Amino acid sequence: MIYILLSICCSVIVSVMLKLAKRYSIDIFQAITWNYSVAIILTAIFLKPQLSNLTDAPVYTYSLLGVLLPALFVIIGASVRFMGIVRTDTAQRISLVIPLIAAFLFFGEAFTPVKFAGIAVGFVAMGLLLFRSHAPVAETKVTFPWLYPLLVFAGFGVIDILFKKLSQTTSITFGTSLFLVYVLAFVLSLAVLIYLVLIKKAKFLWMHILFGWMLGVANFGNILFYLLAHRALAHNPSLVFTTMNIGVITLGTLVGTIVFKEKTTWLNRIGIILAIIAVIIITYA
């Protein structure tokens, strides 16, 4: 269980760092770019990618993930800034209803009443989370701040589907796929960052780079400890899945409300409870 706890902590630390980025004038996109440089190194050390035979590599899926991962990271940063850690982390965790729908529509899985109930509860929870009757979390007002957690919800669902497709490629290990995806994400992000520097919209600064490296350690730690938890509890994967998702929602809610004084309405709090119920139902299904 220690691996699950460490994975939960790393996941919430990522959100906390994105929350603190504005306070310390950190360029989020630059931090996200350098985050992938550390993720590449740590993946090479701990997951031992095998790059000798890549003839069956799903290049299209790698490319999509290489674009979507950094783009979603930017959206998460905006969601944490404008809507807070509580809503962002909860939206991320209940995004699991999207691959459940995809499994039924595209992968031929049976659709049971229990699965339908889990999906329905998840969507109700998402709707209640988006309800906001007070000013945005950040000082800068935006027209539709609720779009950010909604995009987090949709984005994580799509990325989960793509990673499930990668898991079906038996000739290439997950560590190898993750390494290649991180390389693509870093190369594409760095190309955009260099362009922004050339047109003087950004500037290379050590504070952004160091922040990005710390972000990369926390981001990779989340994945590594999650994988180690599944290995340690190989005969009970549902325990890992449920504990991880509920743990992130719970810890994220505690940190958001106690440390950062984020305000939630009674409808939001019902949404958080329903999100936990949705996770349990889907695990059972």
Side-chain angles (χ1 to χ4, degrees):
M1 292 295 286
I2 186 65
Y3 291 135
I4 300 176
L5 179 61
L6 289 171
S7 183
I8 290 168
C9 289
C10 286
S11 180
V12 175
I13 286 171
V14 170
S15 295
V16 170
M17 291 184 70
L18 293 173
K19 181 83 170 180
L20 294 173
K22 184 178 184 294
R23 182 180 299 179
Y24 295 103
S25 302
I26 297 296
D27 181 346
I28 287 290
F29 183 74
Q30 189 167 163
I32 290 168
T33 299
W34 297 114
N35 138 81
Y36 287 115
S37 67
V38 168
I40 291 169
I41 295 170
L42 293 176
T43 303
I45 294 171
F46 290 102
L47 299 184
K48 311 294 184 187
Q50 301 168 9
L51 305 175
S52 57
N53 183 16
L54 299 176
T55 53
D56 295 328
V59 178
Y60 181 71
T61 304
Y62 288 164
S63 302
L64 282 176
L65 285 168
V67 173
L68 287 175
L69 282 176
L72 184 59
F73 225 140
V74 173
I75 293 169
I76 293 169
S79 181
V80 168
R81 177 184 173 189
F82 293 114
M83 292 294 282
I85 293 173
V86 177
R87 293 177 180 83
T88 303
D89 279 353
T90 307
Q92 175 184 339
R93 292 299 150 181
I94 58 173
S95 65
L96 53 90
V97 304
I98 294 177
L100 198 65
I101 295 171
F104 167 68
L105 293 177
F106 305 114
F107 301 110
E109 286 194 16
F111 200 65
T112 65
V114 177
K115 290 180 181 178
F116 178 81
I119 292 170
V121 172
F123 276 113
V124 172
M126 191 66 213
L128 294 176
L129 280 172
L130 296 179
F131 180 81
R132 183 180 54 83
S133 60
H134 48 78
V137 173
E139 295 83 356
T140 306
K141 292 185 177 181
V142 292
T143 307
F144 301 112
W146 52 266
L147 271 177
Y148 293 110
L150 189 61
L151 287 172
V152 170
F153 171 75
F156 264 101
V158 172
I159 284 173
D160 195 22
I161 293 170
L162 293 173
F163 272 118
K164 285 185 188 301
K165 284 180 67 67
L166 287 185
S167 68
Q168 296 173 350
T169 308
T170 55
S171 60
I172 299 176
T173 66
F174 178 76
T176 304
S177 292
L178 195 62
F179 178 82
L180 294 172
V181 167
Y182 280 158
V183 168
L184 276 171
F186 178 61
V187 169
L188 293 173
S189 299
L190 186 61
V192 174
L193 180 58
I194 291 172
Y195 171 74
L196 293 175
V197 170
L198 290 175
I199 64 172
K200 302 187 185 303
K201 293 289 186 180
K203 185 185 295 185
F204 288 120
L205 292 174
W206 274 109
M207 60 184 297
H208 304 314
I209 297 172
L210 291 173
F211 190 91
W213 286 345
M214 290 188 291
L215 189 66
V217 171
N219 189 28
F220 180 78
N222 174 30
I223 295 171
L224 177 64
F225 291 126
Y226 185 67
L227 292 174
L228 289 174
H230 271 293
R231 182 179 297 175
L233 298 168
H235 299 295
N236 201 351
S238 61
L239 175 64
V240 179
F241 178 83
T242 310
T243 308
M244 178 65 190
N245 284 288
I246 293 176
V248 170
I249 293 172
T250 304
L251 183 59
T253 299
L254 290 173
V255 171
T257 54
I258 296 173
V259 178
F260 293 101
K261 310 299 182 185
E262 293 178 4
K263 296 179 180 178
T264 55
T265 66
W266 64 273
L267 285 176
N268 299 150
R269 291 188 283 273
I270 293 173
I272 293 167
I273 294 170
L274 287 178
I276 292 173
I277 293 172
V279 170
I280 295 171
I281 293 173
I282 290 170
T283 304
Y284 174 77

